[in-house]
Amino acid sequence: MSKTEIILIRHGETEWNVAGRLQGQHDSVLTAAGIRQAKSLARRMKSDRFNHLYSSDLGRAMSTAQEIAHLTHHKVIADPRLREKSLGILEGLTWPQAGEHYPEIVKGLEQRNYDYVVPEGESTQQMLTRTMDFLDQIADRHPGERVAAVTHGAVLSTLFRHLLGIPLETPRRFHILNTSIHEIAKENGTWWVNLLGDTHHTRVALDEVE
């Protein structure tokens, strides 16, 4: 059976990342640093071989994907299943603000119950279900090919726990940095994790990538 390889990428740094605001499915633009990260990422991806480029339809992911497409000339295919976890009424707040205004909701999140749903949001399990639906469909659609997809931190954090057999409620002990590159593959019906958290491209000077 053919193997499908998927390159998973977190979007570049945003203004709300810097401000410590909960983004969820709300959005903020890439910072100047985030744009530099995305340009360095694009240079890295230009030297890689892949057949298709997908992205979360949220602005920060699309902006990152478009930097890649500018150099690789792929069409960016938006898919809402790659969106960040919806944090409902908490989106736009900092953690201290969320704790002040919605202490019971924050308490629910801190208990790390993957079925807990923030009002007007979604649970970790719901996010994982749509993520795996996307990945399984991509593996079926593109057998023997290599696909890139730009997504979000919580998506990747939860996905790798799932694929590596780490309970979803376990605190994360690995970084998901902005524009970090991760690789997974589906082969003979089984998902494999081949690369975690590569950020070498972010250490390349911008004048080397323009």
Side-chain angles (χ1 to χ4, degrees):
M1 183 179 292
S2 296
K3 176 173 69 173
T4 302
E5 298 176 318
I6 302 180
I7 308 164
L8 295 167
I9 303 163
R10 188 186 175 200
H11 61 80
E13 180 190 80
T14 70
E15 291 183 350
W16 279 15
N17 286 154
V18 174
R21 295 191 180 277
L22 300 169
Q23 292 188 113
Q25 295 185 6
H26 276 63
D27 229 334
S28 68
V29 299
L30 299 184
T31 63
I35 293 170
R36 289 195 297 271
Q37 292 168 348
K39 288 181 180 296
S40 295
L41 168 69
R43 179 70 175 185
R44 162 71 179 274
M45 296 301 293
K46 184 181 179 181
S47 67
D48 203 343
R49 178 196 65 79
F50 63 99
N51 306 96
H52 307 280
L53 177 58
Y54 289 82
S55 176
S56 157
D57 61 347
L58 297 179
R60 57 195 186 271
M62 287 293 291
S63 294
T64 303
Q66 286 161 359
E67 290 289 352
I68 298 172
H70 178 70
L71 291 186
T72 67
H73 308 295
H74 288 82
K75 176 184 177 182
V76 180
I77 305 169
D79 196 306
R81 291 173 295 179
L82 287 168
R83 285 184 177 188
E84 181 61 288
K85 178 182 177 181
S86 174
L87 293 173
I89 62 175
L90 299 185
E91 292 183 5
L93 301 177
T94 64
W95 274 112
Q97 289 171 338
E100 177 182 354
H101 296 293
Y102 303 105
E104 292 304 313
I105 295 175
V106 170
K107 182 179 179 181
L109 288 172
E110 289 175 343
Q111 291 174 347
R112 308 191 67 83
N113 177 352
Y114 55 83
D115 286 319
Y116 178 75
V117 179
V118 174
E120 301 178 21
E122 66 182 334
S123 70
T124 298
Q125 183 60 58
Q126 288 170 331
M127 176 187 66
L128 176 61
T129 297
R130 62 174 164 81
T131 302
M132 290 306 304
D133 180 67
F134 168 82
L135 293 173
D136 286 329
Q137 184 182 81
I138 291 303
D140 290 341
R141 183 184 297 168
H142 303 296
E145 294 187 304
R146 188 166 165 84
V147 177
V150 181
T151 184
H152 303 268
V155 172
L156 294 170
S157 175
T158 301
L159 174 65
F160 291 127
R161 286 187 182 89
H162 172 68
L163 295 183
L164 294 170
I166 302 170
L168 296 185
E169 64 271 17
T170 303
R172 177 164 53 85
R173 293 291 183 265
F174 51 88
H175 293 296
I176 305 289
L177 300 176
N178 290 111
T179 68
S180 55
I181 295 173
H182 318 259
E183 295 189 17
I184 62 175
K186 191 172 188 181
E187 186 173 12
N188 298 326
T190 300
W191 284 103
W192 297 86
V193 177
N194 296 333
L195 178 69
L196 276 174
D198 185 355
T199 56
H200 178 75
H201 55 279
T202 64
R203 298 192 290 274
V204 178
L206 183 61
D207 60 4
E208 295 181 35
V209 302
E210 291 187 328

